[in-house]
Amino acid sequence: YQGHFSWEKYLKETGAVAAPSSCFKQSLTPPVNEFKVGMKLEAQDPRNTTSTCIATVVGLTGSRLRLRLDGSDNKNDFWRLVDSSEIQPIGSCEKNGGMLQPPLGFRLNASSWPMFLLKTLNGSEMAPSRIFHKQEPPAPEQNSFQVGMKLEAVDRKNPHFICPATVGALRGVEVLVTFDGWRGAFDYYCRYDSRDIFPVGWCSLTGDNLQPPGTKAVLPKSLGVLTDGSVESPAMNPTPTVGRPPGQRGRKSGRRKIKVTGSWSQ
Ligand code: MLY
């Protein structure tokens, strides 16, 4: 489901090019997701990456899993591709001589961890090893993105969202991901081989819901007229409420607000 956003029309309108898939550390065909809600697995604690913890699949979206660490709260869910090297079948940690750790912010007393672990695993549905992917796709040899190229990227402040984005700048092995139609509040630098960025068309292959661009339009000045970026309320469009906080993250030159024309039907 694409929220009626069409990359084809949008690329035409913006005169932009999609970053070739060879730029990304992603498989050409998105990895098959055979996980089910409720399955347990081992995952790196994102807040303490030296810890391997028990996680439960609490949601599925395209090739990604929404994970929650057992013993943690529901405010720290995180998303991983099914071919991520940060997830593995239960038993892997022990097999490699490691010990499962309580998550950062374990709700109970540390001394109750062994019993908690026993109880949380008892009778649980463990994700079978055959549904894990052997390895991550290889990283491209170098950063071959170019400024202005379009891509799909995880909104790291709202990681359930994948959104249309543009390469805003390059910095060695890093890429500035800027979100189309949002004033910079969600932009971030990541490595060119980040697992959070995808080629144009990824979401339509995985069945992920690609968000339409925001309506606080900020697009290259070559495209246009200065107006105040509002759009005739496209039905599918969430209302963007976060603008750039005053005095922060000032836009460098070369960008202007323009009116976004409808790339998505009502
Ligand atoms: N409506 C929320 C979420 C914004 C999401 C922005 N992404 C899609 C770039 C807010 O305004 O905070």
Side-chain angles (χ1 to χ4, degrees), residues 189-210:
Y189 270 99
C190 65
R191 284 183 52 100
Y192 74 94
D193 55 0
S194 166
R195 304 304 318 277
D196 285 345
I197 56 177
F198 309 94
V200 163
W202 177 266
C203 287
S204 81
L205 292 173
T206 61
D208 259 307
N209 181 13
L210 181 70

Side-chain angles (χ1 to χ4, degrees), residues 155 158 161 163 179 182 186 211-212 238-242:
D155 171 358
N158 306 278
F161 287 141
C163 316
F179 288 92
W182 297 88
F186 301 94
Q211 297 299 118
T239 309
T241 53
V242 174

